[in-house]
Amino acid sequence: MSSSGSRTRAVSSELTRLIRRLRDVYGAPSLPPASDPYHLLLLEQVSYLADDVTQLAAYRMLERDVGTRPDQILSASTAVLRKVTRAGGGIAFAERAERLREVAARVSDHWNGDLGKVLRLTLPQASRELMKFPKIGLPGAERILLLAGAYPVLALDSNALRVLLRLGYGKEFPSYPKTYGLVQQEAERDLARTIPARRTASLLLQRHGKTICRRATPRCLECPLQPACPYGGGTRRSL
């Protein structure tokens, strides 16, 4: 047995074990109400800094009052679109209503109404295409591709990224993309390279960051990841 093989097994069990603890606490993560890139983009736009319940309610309102086909969104009134995005959170609701139009227009004009074609591209190519949509950076693009079940990439929102940083993965740099890339790289080495494993990890880390490992007021005494977390007084993971 090679030393590299031994290290791979030892390392891969660490984060997997922590994710299992989160699953014991939160249960199996719920998947979003959409599983294709276009509808996941709409889901991103209907809400902002909202909880899952609010986001889902806004998305269902879009389905009911407008419809989700590009032509339905493009023909909807501004007032109706703003009603949807306001339900998803009052911050920048007018801008988000316009972004719904932008998403629909781009899918109609550049993808002939079928953004599913993006899943035929390589991960870097697909990410670049999704980043052409409003307010979608690399983390958002990778999240859409992971949730669509297309690529086993560990997509991290800001909450999930914060949890992994506090657990000792990567290092925080002034550059967010650099921080994201290093944390993702180190964490991916600790997880099975499968879509289910990385999707579960992404969603559970996100939920943990929203509820307990919060940015300003983390509830470290309640954290199920102690004593593995150096931020909360535990032992730093060895690389």
Side-chain angles (χ1 to χ4, degrees), residues 132-151:
K132 294 176 183 178
F133 287 90
K135 294 295 182 180
I136 299 296
L138 180 61
E142 290 185 341
R143 175 179 169 81
I144 288 169
L145 295 170
L146 174 66
L147 292 176
Y151 307 92

Side-chain angles (χ1 to χ4, degrees), residues 64-124:
R64 183 187 69 242
D65 297 350
V66 178
T68 58
R69 295 198 317 266
D71 63 295
Q72 292 174 318
I73 292 174
L74 291 171
S75 64
S77 70
T78 297
V80 172
L81 291 178
R82 288 184 177 183
K83 181 181 177 182
V84 170
T85 54
R86 189 192 288 274
I91 299 176
F93 72 92
E95 290 85 346
R96 287 187 284 112
E98 288 307 309
R99 288 178 208 146
L100 287 173
R101 290 190 195 278
E102 291 179 48
V103 169
R106 184 168 186 83
V107 169
S108 179
D109 296 343
H110 293 269
W111 295 92
N112 197 27
D114 181 14
L115 189 58
K117 297 173 184 175
V118 77
L119 303 182
R120 302 172 191 169
L121 305 176
T122 65
L123 175 59

